[in-house]
Amino acid sequence: MSLLAVVTERDQVVYQTTFGSTTLHGKQLVVAQLVLGSALDMVDEVMWTTRNRFLKAVDRFNDQLISAFVTAGNYRFLLLHSSRHEDGVLWFFLELYELFVKVTLNPLYDRGLPVKSKVFDERVQALAAKHLG
Amino acid sequence: MAVAGLKGKRQRVKEAAGALSMSKGGNMQKLGELALQKGERVPVELLALTYGSLVRQVIADYESIEEVNKQLDLMGYNIGVRLADDFFAKSGVSDCRSFQDSAEIVAKVGFKMYLNVQASVDLWNADNTAYSILFDENPLAEFTELPEEYAQLSFSNLVCGVIRGALEMLLLVVKCEFVRSTLQGNEMNEIRISLVEMLRESAPEDDED
């Protein structure tokens, strides 16, 4: 199971979803969200130490890693995952970036609002199955 | 992907297009293609984002979505009445004698030339006074997804206005609206055009008493 969140520079969560066979319930989900939230501070630190958008694993929680990716427009992608396959995570982020750019290009979408597109949802799930499976 | 710009410099389409005598159907496609080649192009991003922010502004300025649709149509109308002359000057289409002719010309030449969209004419009614223009891709709405609160928005309604305005210059008064749109989850865009009235060329009034 993994949790993905897309967060603006003002820490607004615009998109969040889970992947994997076992879904998160109640408390588990809240804990996972908190873990991602606290990782944001790490992201803010690490992002200035590298030229790359992909920050690799910025934090860990028990046996899970938190990987991050920062877009040029300062959206942060955070992924809580157990996969140790770094390249897979990188490809996932890169393709997610492409999908997300399309969302932000929508003239009727405003920065900071929740992303509600079903098409985006489906494509993100497909991406996760492809790269994080 | 690039689309033909709304604006273009004076082109020497005439001689090239004039050589193609217009028999029927297939030639329309060629004329559209040719006019597209000759016209200037703009990146689809520029077109889609500019049009998008125009729609946003109209939404901000008017209370109801219905009113927004109406305003977009009106803007289109004002473009259409200007575009009619531009179209005939550049497209190489030499005559348009009937309502049926106009359908082919709008769909095959107009859509191709100005939007680089492959459109077809279909669904004529029994007495040939209404038809539909069908097309898949719509560069104006390239990046658009309608949020729930704008479900009734006819995003590309401007196009309807353009058609209405241009046909009015040919003395054809039509009603023109989107009946299906890919933005609303349909697999095709369909613009329904129905003839309301054929205006008569107004002859000068006889002022001799």
Side-chain angles (χ1 to χ4, degrees):
Chain A
M1 118 28 247
S2 326
L3 175 69
L4 168 75
V6 178
V7 186
T8 68
E9 77 284 4
R10 292 183 193 167
D11 296 351
Q12 298 151 306
V13 179
V14 293
Y15 185 77
Q16 180 182 292
T17 188
T18 55
F19 314 117
S21 44
T22 53
T23 47
L24 293 172
H25 296 291
K27 251 187 194 167
Q28 275 179 304
L29 183 61
V30 175
V31 170
Q33 283 166 340
L34 283 174
V35 167
L36 283 194
S38 68
L40 272 177
D41 293 334
M42 298 301 295
V43 172
D44 286 339
E45 265 174 47
V46 178
M47 68 185 270
W48 300 110
T49 65
T50 167
R51 295 168 56 90
N52 298 324
R53 303 206 180 293
F54 181 44
L55 307 181
K56 302 185 180 168
V58 292
D59 205 352
R60 57 171 58 239
F61 176 68
N62 298 337
D63 59 340
Q64 293 202 297
L65 296 175
I66 296 130
S67 293
F69 185 95
V70 182
T71 75
N74 227 333
Y75 283 102
R76 278 84 58 90
F77 300 163
L78 292 169
L79 181 70
L80 177 69
H81 61 101
S82 26
S83 159
R84 291 285 183 267
H85 187 49
E86 202 172 75
D87 278 352
V89 177
L90 171 62
W91 280 109
F92 172 77
F93 277 146
L94 286 175
E95 290 192 32
L96 176 67
Y97 192 12
E98 272 177 42
L99 290 182
F100 194 72
V101 163
K102 292 217 178 96
V103 170
T104 57
L105 278 176
N106 181 358
L108 301 176
Y109 173 75
D110 281 319
R111 195 183 174 89
L113 294 183
V115 177
K116 287 179 188 160
S117 162
K118 283 196 189 100
V119 181
F120 180 70
D121 258 340
E122 284 163 17
R123 293 194 176 153
V124 170
Q125 290 296 336
L127 269 193
K130 184 169 150 200
H131 294 297
L132 308 173
Chain B
M1 172 193 159
V3 296
L6 289 170
K7 245 168 85 181
K9 282 188 193 147
R10 217 171 272 264
Q11 299 288 346
R12 285 165 298 150
V13 187
K14 264 194 195 157
E15 61 233 43
L20 283 171
S21 67
M22 252 187 16
S23 56
K24 282 283 166 208
N27 272 347
M28 291 290 182
Q29 217 103 38
K30 271 186 214 155
L31 283 178
E33 198 66 51
L34 215 60
L36 173 72
Q37 299 304 330
K38 296 274 179 172
E40 303 227 341
R41 293 177 169 224
V42 297
V44 70
E45 285 84 359
L46 176 63
L47 180 72
L49 293 177
T50 311
Y51 183 67
S53 50
L54 176 126
V55 175
R56 280 304 295 265
Q57 191 57 48
V58 178
I59 291 175
D61 288 348
Y62 292 89
E63 307 240 313
S64 72
I65 293 298
E66 256 171 64
E67 190 60 30
V68 172
N69 290 341
K70 215 191 270 173
Q71 288 302 322
L72 289 174
D73 178 85
L74 199 61
M75 282 182 194
Y77 176 83
N78 288 323
I79 296 175
V81 294
R82 289 165 175 77
L83 212 57
D85 265 325
D86 178 78
F87 177 79
F88 282 102
K90 291 177 187 161
S91 66
V93 172
S94 52
D95 60 350
C96 173
R97 290 162 192 272
S98 62
F99 186 57
Q100 283 98 316
D101 278 356
S102 76
E104 292 285 319
I105 292 169
V106 168
K108 305 239 166 79
V109 190
F111 269 69
K112 189 72 192 171
M113 174 175 172
Y114 290 115
L115 291 169
N116 194 7
V117 163
Q118 196 94 39
S120 61
V121 178
D122 210 345
L123 306 170
W124 280 96
N125 66 353
D127 48 356
N128 281 345
T129 56
Y131 62 92
S132 292
I133 293 180
L134 301 163
F135 55 101
D136 312 313
E137 287 199 21
N138 176 3
L140 291 178
E142 178 80 12
F143 306 115
T144 306
E145 267 191 65
L146 291 183
E148 278 165 36
E149 64 265 38
Y150 299 146
Q152 296 311 313
L153 176 66
S154 180
F155 186 82
S156 307
N157 219 25
L158 185 114
V159 176
C160 293
V162 173
I163 296 173
R164 190 165 69 83
L167 288 180
E168 200 164 305
M169 292 294 101
L170 308 183
L171 306 176
L172 297 166
V173 179
V174 297
K175 188 169 154 259
C176 183
E177 62 186 356
F178 266 92
V179 289
R180 279 192 286 166
S181 149
T182 46
L183 292 180
Q184 267 135 2
N186 298 299
E187 80 271 21
M188 275 233 151
N189 295 299
E190 176 180 350
I191 295 179
R192 188 78 183 156
I193 298 169
S194 21
L195 184 63
V196 176
E197 185 187 2
M198 269 181 163
L199 298 176
R200 292 186 165 266
E201 200 89 58
S202 51
E205 298 260 326
D206 189 12
D207 52 2
E208 289 171 43
D209 288 320

mmCIF file of all heavy atoms in Angstrom, chain A residues 102-103 105-110 116-120, chain B residues 48-49 52 56 59 143-147 150 153 155:
data_model
loop_
_atom_site.group_PDB
_atom_site.id
_atom_site.type_symbol
_atom_site.label_atom_id
_atom_site.label_comp_id
_atom_site.label_asym_id
_atom_site.label_seq_id
_atom_site.Cartn_x
_atom_site.Cartn_y
_atom_site.Cartn_z
ATOM 1 N N LYS A 102 -1.093 18.769 -17.289
ATOM 2 C CA LYS A 102 -2.352 18.907 -18.027
ATOM 3 C C LYS A 102 -3.457 19.440 -17.128
ATOM 4 O O LYS A 102 -4.276 20.254 -17.551
ATOM 5 C CB LYS A 102 -2.771 17.557 -18.606
ATOM 6 C CG LYS A 102 -1.839 17.085 -19.692
ATOM 7 C CD LYS A 102 -2.590 16.377 -20.804
ATOM 8 C CE LYS A 102 -1.652 15.959 -21.903
ATOM 9 N NZ LYS A 102 -1.216 14.556 -21.736
ATOM 10 N N VAL A 103 -3.472 18.976 -15.889
ATOM 11 C CA VAL A 103 -4.488 19.460 -14.946
ATOM 12 C C VAL A 103 -4.330 20.958 -14.734
ATOM 13 O O VAL A 103 -5.289 21.725 -14.775
ATOM 14 C CB VAL A 103 -4.377 18.729 -13.590
ATOM 15 C CG1 VAL A 103 -5.258 19.391 -12.547
ATOM 16 C CG2 VAL A 103 -4.746 17.273 -13.749
ATOM 17 N N LEU A 105 -3.006 23.101 -16.648
ATOM 18 C CA LEU A 105 -3.256 23.896 -17.854
ATOM 19 C C LEU A 105 -4.751 24.128 -18.087
ATOM 20 O O LEU A 105 -5.135 24.974 -18.879
ATOM 21 C CB LEU A 105 -2.663 23.193 -19.081
ATOM 22 C CG LEU A 105 -1.175 23.387 -19.326
ATOM 23 C CD1 LEU A 105 -0.729 22.557 -20.512
ATOM 24 C CD2 LEU A 105 -0.842 24.847 -19.573
ATOM 25 N N ASN A 106 -5.586 23.376 -17.434
ATOM 26 C CA ASN A 106 -7.026 23.546 -17.600
ATOM 27 C C ASN A 106 -7.430 24.966 -17.206
ATOM 28 O O ASN A 106 -7.227 25.375 -16.069
ATOM 29 C CB ASN A 106 -7.750 22.524 -16.720
ATOM 30 C CG ASN A 106 -9.260 22.618 -16.850
ATOM 31 O OD1 ASN A 106 -9.770 23.470 -17.566
ATOM 32 N ND2 ASN A 106 -9.958 21.739 -16.159
ATOM 33 N N PRO A 107 -7.999 25.711 -18.133
ATOM 34 C CA PRO A 107 -8.339 27.102 -17.812
ATOM 35 C C PRO A 107 -9.358 27.218 -16.676
ATOM 36 O O PRO A 107 -9.482 28.275 -16.080
ATOM 37 C CB PRO A 107 -8.961 27.625 -19.108
ATOM 38 C CG PRO A 107 -8.638 26.649 -20.164
ATOM 39 C CD PRO A 107 -8.366 25.341 -19.505
ATOM 40 N N LEU A 108 -10.086 26.157 -16.425
ATOM 41 C CA LEU A 108 -11.110 26.236 -15.379
ATOM 42 C C LEU A 108 -10.612 25.697 -14.033
ATOM 43 O O LEU A 108 -11.377 25.561 -13.084
ATOM 44 C CB LEU A 108 -12.374 25.487 -15.821
ATOM 45 C CG LEU A 108 -13.011 26.003 -17.110
ATOM 46 C CD1 LEU A 108 -14.193 25.148 -17.512
ATOM 47 C CD2 LEU A 108 -13.445 27.448 -16.971
ATOM 48 N N TYR A 109 -9.314 25.375 -13.972
ATOM 49 C CA TYR A 109 -8.756 24.912 -12.704
ATOM 50 C C TYR A 109 -7.925 26.028 -12.076
ATOM 51 O O TYR A 109 -7.136 26.685 -12.753
ATOM 52 C CB TYR A 109 -7.870 23.678 -12.915
ATOM 53 C CG TYR A 109 -7.127 23.269 -11.662
ATOM 54 C CD1 TYR A 109 -7.792 22.631 -10.628
ATOM 55 C CD2 TYR A 109 -5.774 23.577 -11.497
ATOM 56 C CE1 TYR A 109 -7.135 22.287 -9.457
ATOM 57 C CE2 TYR A 109 -5.100 23.236 -10.339
ATOM 58 C CZ TYR A 109 -5.784 22.593 -9.320
ATOM 59 O OH TYR A 109 -5.136 22.262 -8.155
ATOM 60 N N ASP A 110 -8.112 26.251 -10.790
ATOM 61 C CA ASP A 110 -7.333 27.271 -10.102
ATOM 62 C C ASP A 110 -6.366 26.636 -9.129
ATOM 63 O O ASP A 110 -6.706 25.687 -8.428
ATOM 64 C CB ASP A 110 -8.259 28.219 -9.335
ATOM 65 C CG ASP A 110 -8.886 29.228 -10.262
ATOM 66 O OD1 ASP A 110 -8.175 29.732 -11.149
ATOM 67 O OD2 ASP A 110 -10.096 29.494 -10.111
ATOM 68 N N LYS A 116 -10.287 17.302 -9.020
ATOM 69 C CA LYS A 116 -11.402 16.354 -8.933
ATOM 70 C C LYS A 116 -11.561 15.509 -10.186
ATOM 71 O O LYS A 116 -12.512 14.744 -10.296
ATOM 72 C CB LYS A 116 -12.704 17.123 -8.690
ATOM 73 C CG LYS A 116 -12.823 17.673 -7.286
ATOM 74 C CD LYS A 116 -14.120 18.433 -7.161
ATOM 75 C CE LYS A 116 -14.201 19.159 -5.835
ATOM 76 N NZ LYS A 116 -15.196 20.246 -5.927
ATOM 77 N N SER A 117 -10.664 15.683 -11.140
ATOM 78 C CA SER A 117 -10.827 15.001 -12.423
ATOM 79 C C SER A 117 -10.768 13.482 -12.292
ATOM 80 O O SER A 117 -9.821 12.919 -11.755
ATOM 81 C CB SER A 117 -9.734 15.477 -13.372
ATOM 82 O OG SER A 117 -9.594 14.589 -14.443
ATOM 83 N N LYS A 118 -11.801 12.820 -12.832
ATOM 84 C CA LYS A 118 -11.827 11.351 -12.784
ATOM 85 C C LYS A 118 -10.789 10.762 -13.729
ATOM 86 O O LYS A 118 -10.186 9.734 -13.440
ATOM 87 C CB LYS A 118 -13.217 10.846 -13.174
ATOM 88 C CG LYS A 118 -14.222 11.001 -12.066
ATOM 89 C CD LYS A 118 -15.456 10.142 -12.327
ATOM 90 C CE LYS A 118 -16.537 10.474 -11.314
ATOM 91 N NZ LYS A 118 -17.557 11.386 -11.862
ATOM 92 N N VAL A 119 -10.621 11.436 -14.877
ATOM 93 C CA VAL A 119 -9.639 10.950 -15.851
ATOM 94 C C VAL A 119 -8.249 10.937 -15.219
ATOM 95 O O VAL A 119 -7.499 9.963 -15.351
ATOM 96 C CB VAL A 119 -9.631 11.873 -17.097
ATOM 97 C CG1 VAL A 119 -8.639 11.363 -18.118
ATOM 98 C CG2 VAL A 119 -11.020 11.969 -17.682
ATOM 99 N N PHE A 120 -7.930 12.014 -14.520
ATOM 100 C CA PHE A 120 -6.641 12.099 -13.843
ATOM 101 C C PHE A 120 -6.507 10.963 -12.833
ATOM 102 O O PHE A 120 -5.484 10.272 -12.791
ATOM 103 C CB PHE A 120 -6.528 13.464 -13.149
ATOM 104 C CG PHE A 120 -5.228 13.682 -12.412
ATOM 105 C CD1 PHE A 120 -4.048 13.852 -13.105
ATOM 106 C CD2 PHE A 120 -5.201 13.728 -11.027
ATOM 107 C CE1 PHE A 120 -2.846 14.064 -12.433
ATOM 108 C CE2 PHE A 120 -4.012 13.930 -10.343
ATOM 109 C CZ PHE A 120 -2.834 14.096 -11.050
ATOM 110 N N ALA B 48 -5.368 27.746 -26.952
ATOM 111 C CA ALA B 48 -6.219 27.139 -25.918
ATOM 112 C C ALA B 48 -6.188 27.947 -24.623
ATOM 113 O O ALA B 48 -7.221 28.149 -23.984
ATOM 114 C CB ALA B 48 -5.785 25.694 -25.656
ATOM 115 N N LEU B 49 -5.011 28.431 -24.259
ATOM 116 C CA LEU B 49 -4.916 29.173 -23.004
ATOM 117 C C LEU B 49 -5.508 30.577 -23.129
ATOM 118 O O LEU B 49 -6.121 31.094 -22.201
ATOM 119 C CB LEU B 49 -3.461 29.243 -22.526
ATOM 120 C CG LEU B 49 -2.877 27.892 -22.109
ATOM 121 C CD1 LEU B 49 -1.421 28.036 -21.710
ATOM 122 C CD2 LEU B 49 -3.666 27.281 -20.972
ATOM 123 N N GLY B 52 -9.135 30.057 -23.168
ATOM 124 C CA GLY B 52 -9.530 29.660 -21.817
ATOM 125 C C GLY B 52 -9.665 30.860 -20.899
ATOM 126 O O GLY B 52 -10.634 30.969 -20.142
ATOM 127 N N ARG B 56 -12.880 32.364 -18.903
ATOM 128 C CA ARG B 56 -12.835 32.654 -17.472
ATOM 129 C C ARG B 56 -13.340 34.054 -17.162
ATOM 130 O O ARG B 56 -14.073 34.291 -16.209
ATOM 131 C CB ARG B 56 -11.391 32.539 -16.947
ATOM 132 C CG ARG B 56 -10.922 31.143 -16.689
ATOM 133 C CD ARG B 56 -11.818 30.409 -15.738
ATOM 134 N NE ARG B 56 -11.838 30.974 -14.398
ATOM 135 C CZ ARG B 56 -11.091 30.555 -13.408
ATOM 136 N NH1 ARG B 56 -10.267 29.551 -13.581
ATOM 137 N NH2 ARG B 56 -11.194 31.107 -12.229
ATOM 138 N N ILE B 59 -17.011 34.268 -17.498
ATOM 139 C CA ILE B 59 -17.647 33.639 -16.334
ATOM 140 C C ILE B 59 -17.626 34.597 -15.137
ATOM 141 O O ILE B 59 -18.605 34.743 -14.408
ATOM 142 C CB ILE B 59 -16.946 32.309 -15.974
ATOM 143 C CG1 ILE B 59 -17.218 31.263 -17.050
ATOM 144 C CG2 ILE B 59 -17.435 31.795 -14.616
ATOM 145 C CD1 ILE B 59 -16.473 29.966 -16.862
ATOM 146 N N PHE B 143 -7.105 21.653 -23.264
ATOM 147 C CA PHE B 143 -6.731 21.280 -21.890
ATOM 148 C C PHE B 143 -7.912 21.326 -20.929
ATOM 149 O O PHE B 143 -7.748 21.155 -19.728
ATOM 150 C CB PHE B 143 -5.656 22.236 -21.363
ATOM 151 C CG PHE B 143 -4.466 22.342 -22.253
ATOM 152 C CD1 PHE B 143 -4.149 23.528 -22.879
ATOM 153 C CD2 PHE B 143 -3.665 21.230 -22.483
ATOM 154 C CE1 PHE B 143 -3.055 23.618 -23.719
ATOM 155 C CE2 PHE B 143 -2.573 21.307 -23.325
ATOM 156 C CZ PHE B 143 -2.261 22.509 -23.941
ATOM 157 N N THR B 144 -9.083 21.602 -21.462
ATOM 158 C CA THR B 144 -10.208 21.891 -20.572
ATOM 159 C C THR B 144 -10.897 20.633 -20.056
ATOM 160 O O THR B 144 -11.108 19.685 -20.801
ATOM 161 C CB THR B 144 -11.246 22.757 -21.304
ATOM 162 O OG1 THR B 144 -10.582 23.894 -21.821
ATOM 163 C CG2 THR B 144 -12.360 23.181 -20.368
ATOM 164 N N GLU B 145 -11.196 20.658 -18.780
ATOM 165 C CA GLU B 145 -12.122 19.689 -18.216
ATOM 166 C C GLU B 145 -13.135 20.498 -17.433
ATOM 167 O O GLU B 145 -12.752 21.409 -16.702
ATOM 168 C CB GLU B 145 -11.404 18.734 -17.266
ATOM 169 C CG GLU B 145 -10.925 17.482 -17.921
ATOM 170 C CD GLU B 145 -10.455 16.471 -16.891
ATOM 171 O OE1 GLU B 145 -11.298 15.998 -16.104
ATOM 172 O OE2 GLU B 145 -9.250 16.194 -16.852
ATOM 173 N N LEU B 146 -14.398 20.191 -17.600
ATOM 174 C CA LEU B 146 -15.419 20.984 -16.921
ATOM 175 C C LEU B 146 -15.591 20.533 -15.481
ATOM 176 O O LEU B 146 -15.869 19.379 -15.229
ATOM 177 C CB LEU B 146 -16.767 20.842 -17.637
ATOM 178 C CG LEU B 146 -16.916 21.452 -19.014
ATOM 179 C CD1 LEU B 146 -18.344 21.258 -19.501
ATOM 180 C CD2 LEU B 146 -16.563 22.920 -19.022
ATOM 181 N N PRO B 147 -15.413 21.430 -14.521
ATOM 182 C CA PRO B 147 -15.761 21.071 -13.152
ATOM 183 C C PRO B 147 -17.286 20.996 -13.019
ATOM 184 O O PRO B 147 -17.994 21.549 -13.857
ATOM 185 C CB PRO B 147 -15.210 22.240 -12.324
ATOM 186 C CG PRO B 147 -14.755 23.277 -13.268
ATOM 187 C CD PRO B 147 -14.945 22.807 -14.662
ATOM 188 N N TYR B 150 -19.681 23.892 -13.534
ATOM 189 C CA TYR B 150 -19.832 24.458 -14.872
ATOM 190 C C TYR B 150 -20.339 23.424 -15.870
ATOM 191 O O TYR B 150 -20.111 23.552 -17.069
ATOM 192 C CB TYR B 150 -18.500 25.033 -15.370
ATOM 193 C CG TYR B 150 -17.939 26.150 -14.522
ATOM 194 C CD1 TYR B 150 -16.568 26.296 -14.356
ATOM 195 C CD2 TYR B 150 -18.785 27.057 -13.894
ATOM 196 C CE1 TYR B 150 -16.044 27.323 -13.579
ATOM 197 C CE2 TYR B 150 -18.284 28.079 -13.113
ATOM 198 C CZ TYR B 150 -16.914 28.208 -12.958
ATOM 199 O OH TYR B 150 -16.405 29.215 -12.193
ATOM 200 N N LEU B 153 -21.897 24.647 -18.952
ATOM 201 C CA LEU B 153 -21.145 25.594 -19.780
ATOM 202 C C LEU B 153 -20.887 25.004 -21.160
ATOM 203 O O LEU B 153 -20.398 23.896 -21.292
ATOM 204 C CB LEU B 153 -19.812 25.927 -19.100
ATOM 205 C CG LEU B 153 -18.857 26.837 -19.873
ATOM 206 C CD1 LEU B 153 -19.442 28.221 -20.033
ATOM 207 C CD2 LEU B 153 -17.511 26.914 -19.172
ATOM 208 N N PHE B 155 -18.500 25.417 -23.468
ATOM 209 C CA PHE B 155 -17.189 26.068 -23.427
ATOM 210 C C PHE B 155 -16.815 26.720 -24.755
ATOM 211 O O PHE B 155 -16.330 27.837 -24.800
ATOM 212 C CB PHE B 155 -16.131 25.049 -23.002
ATOM 213 C CG PHE B 155 -14.771 25.631 -22.781
ATOM 214 C CD1 PHE B 155 -14.451 26.256 -21.594
ATOM 215 C CD2 PHE B 155 -13.801 25.559 -23.771
ATOM 216 C CE1 PHE B 155 -13.200 26.792 -21.386
ATOM 217 C CE2 PHE B 155 -12.537 26.094 -23.565
ATOM 218 C CZ PHE B 155 -12.247 26.710 -22.367
#
